[in-house]
Amino acid sequence: MDIATIIGFVGGVAAVMLGVISGGSNIMNIIDIPSVFITIGGSYFSLFVSSPLNKALGIWGLIGRCFKTFDYGEKTTVQNMVSLSEKARREGILALEEGLDDLDDKFMSEGLRLMVDGSDGVAIRQILENEMAQCEKRHMEFAGVITQWAGYAPGWGMMGTVIGLIGMLNNLEDKSSLGPNMAVALVTTLYGSMLANWLFGPLATKLLAQNSSEMNAKEMVLEGILSIQAGDNPRILAQKLLTYLDPKARKAIEADVLKD
C-alpha cells in the first residue's frame, strides 16, 4: 500500500472539510448529488469519446495502481548481474542458460536468452530498447487518459455552473428553487477544481514516476547484459550499475558488489 497516496487522499479531504468548518459553514453545504453526476459522471464519459473503450474502462485499475507500492528490484539487479558476470567469466556465457526460465524478471530473462543464443550487442540493444519503448508507450497512453480526465473535469464543472444558473434564472419567481440551483452552480465548479488538482492530476504524475522507476530498472538490466557480453570485469559492471541507484541504496550494497 502506498502510504503517500493515502495521506494525500485523506489529507485533501480533511483540508477542504477544515476549511469549510473554520469558515463557519457546514459540510453538507458542499455535498450535492446533481453536481457529482454532472462533474464526475460527465467528465468520465468524455473519456469514452476521446479514448478507446479498453482505456476508458481500464482507468479504474490504473487508479488502483497508484495506491500500491512497487519494488523494481534495482539493488537485486546489481547483485544478480554481478553474480552472472562472475559465472560467465568462470564458465563462459553459455553457462548462463541454466536457470533462465526460473528468473522472475521476464525482461532480464529475454535479454540473457538473446545473449546466450549468440546475438550481437547491437541486436540485443535494439530488441530490448524497442521492448522498453513499447512498454513506456503503453504507460504513457494510460497516464494520458487520466491527464485528460483532469483536463475535462473543470470544464464540466463550469457546465454545471451554467446549468445551475440557467435553472435559477428560469425560476426566479420560485424562491424555493434558488438555493438548490445556486448550489449546483457553485459546487460543480468546486468539484471540477478538486478533481483536477487534488485527484487526477497528481495521480497521473504518480504513474509517470512509476514508469520512470521501471524504465530505470530495465535500463540497468540492459546495461548489465551488454557488459557481461563485452566481457567486462564484474567490478566494472558493478560500478556501471551502481550509478543508477540513489545514494542510500548504493551505500547499502556497494561494499558487497565491489568486493575484490
Side-chain angles (χ1 to χ4, degrees):
M1 184 68 70
D2 190 333
I3 300 300
T5 303
I6 300 296
I7 291 173
F9 186 81
V10 175
V13 173
V16 172
M17 293 176 66
L18 288 173
V20 172
I21 294 172
S22 63
S25 186
N26 189 301
I27 295 299
M28 297 307 297
N29 291 340
I30 63 169
I31 298 177
D32 186 74
I33 299 303
S35 297
V36 172
F37 289 150
I38 294 171
T39 310
I40 300 179
S43 59
Y44 174 60
F45 285 112
S46 292
L47 298 179
F48 287 82
V49 180
S50 64
S51 306
L53 182 63
N54 67 311
K55 290 185 172 58
L57 293 175
I59 197 170
W60 301 106
L62 203 62
I63 291 174
R65 182 182 175 89
C66 295
F67 290 85
K68 301 177 182 178
T69 56
F70 295 89
D71 181 6
Y72 297 104
E74 290 92 337
K75 290 191 293 186
T76 303
T77 295
V78 177
Q79 294 167 330
N80 287 344
M81 282 297 174
V82 170
S83 296
L84 290 171
S85 178
E86 292 171 345
K87 183 176 182 179
R89 286 173 68 86
R90 289 194 311 267
E91 306 173 30
I93 287 179
L94 291 179
L96 302 183
E97 184 173 13
E98 181 182 356
L100 285 184
D101 295 334
D102 298 328
L103 288 175
D104 294 330
D105 189 334
K106 184 179 179 182
F107 184 78
M108 182 185 293
S109 177
E110 290 176 350
L112 290 171
R113 176 69 65 186
L114 288 169
M115 181 179 66
V116 169
D117 288 345
S119 302
D120 60 43
V122 174
I124 293 174
R125 180 177 290 277
Q126 288 178 340
I127 292 171
L128 294 186
E129 284 186 346
N130 185 60
E131 179 78 24
M132 291 170 61
Q134 294 306 311
C135 179
E136 187 167 32
K137 179 183 176 182
R138 292 191 294 272
H139 293 171
M140 293 298 101
E141 288 175 350
F142 275 106
V145 176
I146 294 186
T147 301
Q148 289 174 4
W149 199 349
Y152 295 146
W156 277 89
M158 290 302 299
M159 280 192 274
T161 298
V162 173
I163 291 171
L165 292 175
I166 290 173
M168 185 178 66
L169 293 174
N170 283 334
N171 296 280
L172 287 177
E173 70 283 354
D174 183 5
K175 298 190 184 304
S176 64
S177 68
L178 295 181
N181 284 317
M182 180 59 74
V184 173
L186 297 180
V187 174
T188 48
T189 300
L190 172 65
Y191 287 177
S193 180
M194 288 181 64
L195 290 175
N197 298 291
W198 162 65
L199 196 58
F200 299 130
L203 288 178
T205 300
K206 174 147 287 188
L207 289 173
L208 294 177
Q210 291 178 354
N211 171 76
S212 179
S213 296
E214 184 173 347
M215 291 303 107
N216 183 70
K218 289 183 183 297
E219 188 173 343
M220 289 177 65
V221 172
L222 171 59
E223 291 301 325
I225 291 171
L226 294 178
S227 184
I228 292 173
Q229 186 191 49
D232 289 342
N233 185 288
R235 186 180 179 87
I236 298 299
L237 180 149
Q239 290 177 323
K240 286 182 179 179
L241 298 187
L242 284 172
T243 61
Y244 288 88
L245 303 182
D246 63 73
K248 183 177 180 181
R250 178 170 181 165
K251 185 177 181 180
I253 65 169
E254 192 170 28
D256 181 51
V257 298
L258 291 180
K259 61 183 183 296
D260 293 328

